[in-house]
Amino acid sequence: MIPEFEVTILGNTSSIPVHGRNHTAQVVRFGQECLLLDCGEATQIQMRKYKIKSSKISHIFISHLHGDHYLGLIGVLSSYHLSKRTQPLTIFGPQGLDEIITTHFRWSNTRLSYPIEFVQTKADSLNLLVDLPRFAVYSFPLLHRIPTTGFLIREKKGLRSLIKEKLQEKKIPLEAIHELRQGRDYRDSDGQDYRAEDYAYPQPPLRSYAFCSDTIFHPEISGFIQGVDLLYHESTFMEVDSKRAKDTFHCTAIQAAEIARLSGVKRLLLGHFSSRYADLNDMLTEAQTVFPHSVLSEEGSTYPILSDYE
């Protein structure tokens, strides 16, 4: 059975939460695993609003230490404590985040009911952060005013489903079944060959998702996210404000679309919108002139990560 792989947008605005939009946060679900990417203000409120089971979150990833990307974290961690969570939680983030968390709970005289493991990210190259049986999570460097990382989630090969009709035709050794599910051919002691392509369905194409929070236009990013199925990339400004984008180390929608084109991705989700734009349709139009498969991210919407986007 193919596990579900999807992302729910909880917040997609930049520095000021206006126009009904909230600070950056999103939940990626792969099967039974839930990951929180960034944790801006109001994240826990948004999780309740959109019926995200926050207790299912096992890993939190913070891209950088600008407040609109992490100021909701203390609230989430405090609520976990108040609900008597015991499940361990792993937090990935830049240097200094562990000090912020520790300082807050020290001065509030709070001893959390659950263990936290903090893993410091490095904005230097592609780094493996999480390696689970069905997927892996990597960080990669973005180019912003302070150390910032994007996150890449890649599905790993699972067991292949066997063709039941073939199994009913003849008795197959258990050792052969194990190898066939791994996608490997098997030869028994009598020299009988069992080919995986004859007894097992093909492995579905592996899926992937990339999250680029805050960054100036930086074509080198494409080397880390080449061919992903779905890319979320900041598009803070429209082209009329391209100088402002450059001065603040952000991107325009056209620049985000250019990264998507260079990376050969299948679909682009635009986000991290500046408060100066109440209506985002013109921004979408700009992006689609460069990369037609661009869409505006919408809070509360869940986007499946597919290998066969039309």
Side-chain angles (χ1 to χ4, degrees), residues 28-162:
V28 175
R29 184 169 73 89
F30 189 100
Q32 298 300 312
E33 293 284 344
C34 288
L35 317 174
L36 177 63
L37 308 186
D38 276 353
C39 189
E41 186 180 347
T43 292
Q44 64 174 323
I45 295 173
Q46 293 290 88
M47 285 195 286
R48 288 182 179 273
K49 179 178 180 180
Y50 297 119
K51 296 179 172 54
I52 299 293
K53 293 184 178 180
S54 62
S55 61
K56 298 289 186 181
I57 292 172
S58 56
H59 301 77
I60 296 177
F61 302 81
I62 303 298
S63 63
H64 65 297
L65 291 183
H66 281 157
D68 55 321
H69 293 264
Y70 83 93
L71 284 180
L73 181 59
I74 296 298
V76 169
L77 300 182
S78 297
S79 291
Y80 282 156
H81 172 70
L82 292 172
S83 62
K84 295 181 171 52
R85 176 186 177 123
T86 58
Q87 175 189 358
L89 180 67
T90 306
I91 301 176
F92 299 86
Q95 181 180 14
L97 180 59
D98 55 337
E99 182 180 350
I100 291 170
I101 295 170
T102 300
T103 299
H104 173 85
F105 288 118
R106 183 175 73 245
W107 287 103
S108 67
N109 193 26
T110 302
R111 185 182 295 274
L112 295 176
S113 61
Y114 57 95
I116 289 179
E117 178 186 3
F118 178 77
V119 179
Q120 182 176 315
T121 53
K122 297 178 181 179
D124 56 359
S125 61
L126 187 70
N127 290 297
L128 177 63
L129 302 180
V130 176
D131 190 12
L132 294 176
R134 288 306 311 274
F135 69 92
V137 184
Y138 303 82
S139 65
F140 58 92
L142 302 177
L143 187 57
H144 196 43
R145 288 175 289 158
I146 60 175
T148 306
T149 61
F151 299 108
L152 170 65
I153 305 169
R154 288 197 178 278
E155 183 178 17
K156 296 162 68 174
K157 286 185 178 180
L159 297 176
R160 292 171 64 168
S161 298
L162 298 179

Side-chain angles (χ1 to χ4, degrees), residues 10-24 41-42 46 49-50 236 271-281 283 296-299:
L10 302 179
N12 61 4
T13 195
S14 56
S15 55
I16 302 174
V18 292
H19 312 308
R21 303 193 291 259
N22 292 275
H23 285 158
T24 301
E41 186 180 347
Q46 293 290 88
K49 179 178 180 180
Y50 297 119
T236 309
H272 199 264
F273 308 121
S274 169
S275 60
R276 67 185 62 198
Y277 312 118
D279 189 322
L280 300 171
N281 287 315
M283 176 179 285
L296 296 170
S297 64
E298 297 183 12
E299 293 186 10

